[in-house]
Amino acid sequence: MTKTTNQTAPSLLAALPDSPEKLNGVRIKHTRIGQMMNELETLIYPESQDSILLVCGPTGVGKSTLATHIVSNALQKATEEMEQDAGVIPAVYVQAPSSGEDDFSWRLFYQRILQQLEGELSMKKTAYGIDTETGRMVRPRGATGNSLSALRTAVEKALTARQTRFLVIDEAAHIIRQTRQSRLGIQLDTLKSLANECGTQMVLVGAYDLYQLVSLSGQLARRTHVLHFERYRQDSEEDLRAFRACVQKFQNTLPDLWGEQLMPHAEALLENTLGCVGTLSCVLTRAAKLAQKDGRWSVDALRRALLTEAQRHQILEEIMDGEAAINPGLTRTMPRSHIHNNRRPSRSVA
Ligand SMILES: Nc1ncnc2c1ncn2[C@@H]1O[C@H](COP(=O)(O)OP(=O)(O)OP(=O)(O)O)[C@@H](O)[C@H]1O
Ligand SMILES: [Mg+2]
């Protein structure tokens, strides 16, 4: 922390209407998440050739928050369509399972997708694969067993019947971590063909190791577009401003708790949380809880809530490795004619 004075707010929390739990329900709209949403919404469209979209970023940057938000946004936008046709589920969110086994469990993964697609209560009564009496999804003939291929067929049918435009797979790095290198290409072809057969774009969300995917095969690389969900950087004025705006919004959420006393620590918070808004949210929630326990707000509560140097160091190392791997790959060179027209030799997207 840059400011280490032990100043305390005079007010006692017992007398305050603000509760730290208030922070749990808050989702701060910030520049980076807005940019990511826009880019994803632009790249998700029917007939897109990008069958796989890859969203990589550091831990705590807000990837899962983005993932759930993009799905709920899509469902909200499709309200009218869904009212007219109750069988439609335009977007689905699943977490890739971490089975604890050596191999990634595709069985569990497919079951999770089916749960999302079949678990819906109000369903279209006439579509293929929907039981007209019960309104439940009917597994097609030959795919009723629990074999992997049967599950896969059921997923294909369900995605098609539900007209699912995109499937968000959070924690997708589990697929890579738990799949033997020799089989990885085949496994990912499975996802690619699922996307192509059902017209459903796959949005894979995960930590930086997910980026290895693009180096697996040229064919896969061509169909994969990478989006880098970056942290706010200390060395960028623009990022600093955007991060300060986040701290301000968190400050506004619990005005009775910390009054105006968070903003003086914005830069220290950027440094400690490595510019990751999710980590910032965790630190501030902890700080609020500690203050509540103490019975009053204090800078000391904030200090105790920070990441330790060891934690910060570990995360920073992962970030540095991840950024080094992803940044050269994301430098896309413009063709010569464009260089001439735009007077910009290259565009570093990262
Ligand atoms: N924009 C936001 N506003 C408020 N809270 C947020 C925001 N983004 C993230 N958070 C909170 O921060 C925490 C971490 O965020 P999230 O789980 O999205 O990060 P992540 O990038 O998925 O991390 P990991 O790689 O560890 O899975 C969550 O509790 C989440 O609710
Ligand atoms: Mg996550």
Side-chain angles (χ1 to χ4, degrees):
M1 303 290 299
T2 45
K3 297 219 168 177
T4 51
T5 53
N6 219 354
Q7 74 203 76
T8 55
S11 48
L12 283 179
L13 287 190
L16 300 176
D18 277 348
S19 136
E21 279 71 35
K22 231 170 143 183
L23 286 176
N24 293 337
V26 167
R27 193 175 42 76
I28 302 287
K29 275 190 192 168
H30 59 99
T31 311
R32 200 74 92 222
I33 203 167
Q35 289 166 342
M36 297 301 295
M37 284 290 294
N38 281 343
E39 211 164 326
L40 276 171
E41 283 173 354
T42 308
L43 294 169
I44 296 172
Y45 60 94
E47 312 292 324
S48 165
Q49 291 198 38
D50 291 326
S51 48
I52 297 180
L53 297 169
L54 218 67
V55 179
C56 299
T59 180
V61 79
K63 300 181 298 295
S64 299
T65 304
L66 169 75
T68 49
H69 185 50
I70 185 134
V71 169
S72 60
N73 222 23
L75 296 179
Q76 207 174 350
K77 278 189 185 162
T79 310
E80 211 175 295
E81 189 186 347
M82 289 166 80
E83 272 167 9
Q84 283 170 11
D85 184 345
V88 171
I89 305 181
V92 170
Y93 168 93
V94 283
Q95 273 191 11
S98 170
S99 60
E101 294 161 13
D102 282 348
D103 261 351
F104 178 72
S105 174
W106 287 88
R107 183 184 305 280
L108 214 55
F109 176 60
Y110 287 148
Q111 279 168 347
R112 282 191 182 178
I113 300 176
L114 283 175
Q115 234 165 39
Q116 294 294 315
L117 294 168
E118 294 186 4
E120 201 70 16
L121 289 173
S122 52
M123 291 201 174
K124 187 162 86 170
K125 307 280 191 239
T126 52
Y128 175 83
I130 309 290
D131 186 294
T132 49
E133 291 296 313
T134 63
R136 290 193 61 79
M137 184 77 81
V138 177
R139 290 197 181 153
R141 204 178 266 277
T144 47
N146 218 11
S147 73
L148 198 57
S149 65
L151 278 171
R152 150 95 197 201
T153 310
V155 168
E156 266 175 34
K157 299 282 184 195
L159 285 174
T160 310
R162 298 294 188 192
Q163 299 169 46
T164 307
R165 281 167 221 146
F166 67 97
L167 171 68
V168 177
I169 307 168
D170 198 5
E171 302 291 355
H174 286 158
I175 302 177
I176 293 191
R177 289 184 204 139
Q178 295 171 73
T179 303
R180 268 169 278 145
Q181 194 68 31
S182 57
R183 295 187 60 196
L184 206 48
I186 303 164
Q187 304 281 42
L188 288 156
D189 272 348
T190 307
L191 274 184
K192 191 190 73 188
S193 67
L194 196 62
N196 292 343
E197 277 153 35
C198 310
T200 305
Q201 281 175 277
M202 303 285 152
V203 183
L204 271 57
V205 178
Y208 283 119
D209 45 355
L210 189 59
Y211 184 65
Q212 293 167 28
L213 269 189
V214 289
S215 56
L216 278 175
S217 84
Q219 210 195 19
L220 208 61
R222 186 177 79 73
R223 288 182 167 78
T224 306
H225 183 80
V226 182
L227 291 92
H228 187 188
F229 193 165
E230 265 193 290
R231 64 193 168 119
Y232 291 110
R233 302 183 64 100
Q234 263 180 311
D235 55 5
S236 152
E237 270 302 311
E238 209 180 321
D239 282 12
L240 190 57
R241 260 200 310 279
F243 189 85
R244 284 179 64 84
C246 294
V247 177
Q248 180 73 58
K249 284 180 183 166
F250 278 114
Q251 181 174 282
N252 296 347
T253 308
L254 298 178
D256 295 331
L257 174 59
W258 34 50
E260 305 279 307
Q261 295 182 65
L262 270 191
M263 281 309 285
H265 306 289
E267 281 181 49
L269 283 164
L270 171 61
E271 187 177 336
N272 184 257
T273 62
L274 297 155
C276 296
V277 173
T279 308
L280 173 69
S281 160
C282 296
V283 164
L284 294 181
T285 306
R286 248 189 331 262
K289 279 284 206 191
L290 289 171
Q292 189 182 44
K293 180 90 186 356
D294 293 348
R296 66 174 180 217
W297 163 254
S298 68
V299 175
D300 188 51
L302 181 58
R303 191 185 305 112
R304 281 186 283 142
L306 294 175
L307 295 183
T308 65
E309 263 318 295
Q311 287 172 312
R312 192 179 165 278
H313 186 74
Q314 177 64 34
I315 299 171
L316 181 60
E317 258 188 15
E318 283 175 22
I319 290 178
M320 299 305 269
D321 288 350
E323 287 178 347
I326 207 167
N327 280 344
L330 279 178
T331 305
R332 293 161 190 147
T333 309
M334 299 289 270
R336 286 219 150 265
S337 55
H338 286 260
I339 295 170
H340 182 71
N341 290 341
N342 297 328
R343 290 167 41 220
R344 283 180 69 188
S346 67
R347 180 168 67 104
S348 177
V349 177

